[in-house]
Structures are given as C-alpha cells and as structure tokens.
C-alpha cells in the first residue's frame, strides 16, 4: 500500500474523530484536555448533524461475514476501508461511537501487517468466520483486514493481555487488540501472494 493512502487515511480518521468529539457534546465531562484549548469558531450543531447524515449514507460496506453489528464500514478502495465502531449494535438506540478507524486488506501474515503494526494496524480480523466464533486473528495466510482503532472517547475495555478492565483514552489505541501474526513466507505453504498495494 502506498504511503499516500495511509496518510490520507490518518487525516480522515482525525477528521471523523474530531466530528465525533464535537457531536458528542460531552467532551468536557470526559476530561479531554485538547479540546478546551481550541479557539475560534466552533462547528454549528446543524453542520455536525449533517456530518452524521452524510456518513450514514456512505458507511454501507460489509467486509465481514457475518457482519459486525457494532461497526459501520465504508469502502475507500479495493483494499482500503474506514470504519465507525460503536459500544453496542448501531441499530440500537443510544449506541455511542467509541472508535473511528481504518483498515487495510491483507492476510494474517506478518508480511501483510502495515508497518509491522507500528502505525497502529495491530488487529487482524478475518473476512469469514463461522457462526458464534470471534474473528480475531486466524490461521496463517487467512484473508481479512488489518485494523487501526482511534478512540474518540474514554471507554472501558478489557486489556487483551491481562484481561483486566482498562479505560481507553481518546487517541490511537495501540492496545486494540494486538493479534501477533505469523511469518507466511517461511511457513512452507507455497509462494507468497502479492501484497496489497
Ligand atoms: Cu477482530
């Protein structure tokens, strides 16, 4: 994947993150320091409401089977997508946006993990999962997406390493949720497929 796509992805994520913060209206109670230092005009309520309406129309992509009820996805290109991750199914009243993020199509191989995870693509979710099973990680070479999460609020989650409760802070969520990928080129399973661009 070229770095242009990755960079524009980050800009997108930051924009959506900002929208999420403005629209939540509860930034102050959540103690997000960065926001209060902002000066100048603030976005109008109707402008922010229109953001939601706009996003709802284009977040219609279904990269996973079965579909994730807590996620809305937008296909940006054949191998790049962005998502909104809610605290409960988005079809439920009161569902809150917790993460925005982006994802790169690839296999569960260290060779396909963007930047080896350093830029935040730490979680692999396989494209197809049998019913009732979590789709994190998988067998070496399984098709799916590498995800990067950016929290837009303080939210409770389980630390994937210790399984203890932790609070996610707004910003890049390197702890959500690392899946260590195997090297596929040395696994003896035939030639390596081309990497996603
Ligand atoms: Cu997953």
């Amino acid at each position: 994947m070229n770095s242009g796509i990755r960079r524009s992805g980050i800009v997108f994520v930051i924009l959506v993150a900002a929208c999420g913060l403005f629209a939540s209206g509860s930034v102050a109670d959540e103690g997000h320091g960065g926001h209060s230092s902002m000066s100048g005009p603030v976005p109008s309520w109707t402008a922010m409401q229109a953001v939601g309406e706009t996003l709802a129309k284009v977040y219609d992509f279904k990269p996973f089977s079965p579909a994730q009820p807590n996620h809305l996805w937008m296909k940006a290109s054949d191998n790049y997508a962005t998502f909104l991750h809610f605290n409960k199914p988005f079809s439920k009243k009161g569902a809150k946006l917790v993460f925005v993020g982006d994802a790169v199509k690839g296999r569960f191989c260290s060779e396909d993990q963007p930047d080896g995870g350093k830029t935040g693509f730490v979680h692999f979710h396989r494209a197809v999962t049998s019913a009732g099973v979590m789709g994190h990680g998988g067998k070496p070479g399984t098709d799916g997406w590498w995800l990067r999460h950016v929290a837009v609020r303080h939210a409770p989650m389980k630390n994937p390493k210790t399984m203890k409760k932790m609070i996610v802070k707004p910003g890049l969520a390197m702890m959500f949720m690392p899946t260590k990928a195997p090297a596929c080129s040395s696994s003896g399973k035939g030639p390596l497929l081309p990497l996603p661009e």
Side-chain angles (χ1 to χ4, degrees):
M1 188 181 74
N2 73 49
S3 59
I5 291 181
R6 199 167 299 151
R7 225 171 293 127
S8 62
I10 293 172
V11 171
F12 167 84
V13 163
I14 290 167
L15 280 175
V16 175
C19 297
L21 289 171
F22 296 141
S24 78
S26 56
V27 170
D29 358 331
E30 292 181 10
H32 184 54
H35 188 253
S36 56
S37 63
M38 201 180 75
S39 57
V42 295
S44 79
W45 175 246
T46 51
M48 288 299 102
Q49 219 171 7
V51 168
E53 285 165 19
T54 303
L55 297 185
K57 278 180 207 148
V58 291
Y59 275 72
D60 59 355
F61 180 43
K62 302 257 173 348
F64 299 108
S65 171
Q68 302 165 303
N70 293 18
H71 292 66
L72 285 172
W73 284 87
M74 177 183 174
K75 188 173 185 174
S77 73
D78 282 343
N79 53 24
Y80 183 66
T82 60
F83 65 86
L84 306 171
H85 180 162
F86 296 81
N87 64 337
K88 57 180 171 182
F90 54 78
S91 58
K92 293 250 161 76
K93 219 178 182 182
K96 288 180 184 173
L97 187 64
V98 182
F99 299 99
V100 299
D102 57 348
V104 175
K105 199 180 209 172
R107 302 154 306 169
F108 190 46
C109 298
S110 56
E111 291 88 342
D112 276 12
Q113 183 173 20
D115 304 311
K118 286 193 202 90
T119 50
F121 293 92
V122 296
H123 180 74
F124 181 84
H125 201 96
R126 55 185 183 269
V128 180
T129 311
S130 31
V133 182
M134 301 296 254
H136 318 314
K139 290 186 184 136
T142 304
D143 286 322
W145 295 77
W146 283 98
L147 277 67
R148 168 165 62 181
H149 291 73
V150 177
V152 295
R153 62 167 64 245
H154 288 88
M157 72 168 276
K158 268 189 188 161
N159 184 313
K161 281 188 186 148
T162 63
M163 294 314 281
K164 284 187 181 153
K165 257 196 187 168
M166 60 176 282
I167 301 291
V168 177
K169 289 186 196 145
L172 187 60
M174 295 299 281
M175 289 303 288
F176 196 100
M177 77 182 24
T179 49
K180 195 167 164 34
C184 294
S185 48
S186 58
S187 66
K189 290 195 173 175
L192 200 60
L193 298 166
L195 296 174
E197 292 189 336

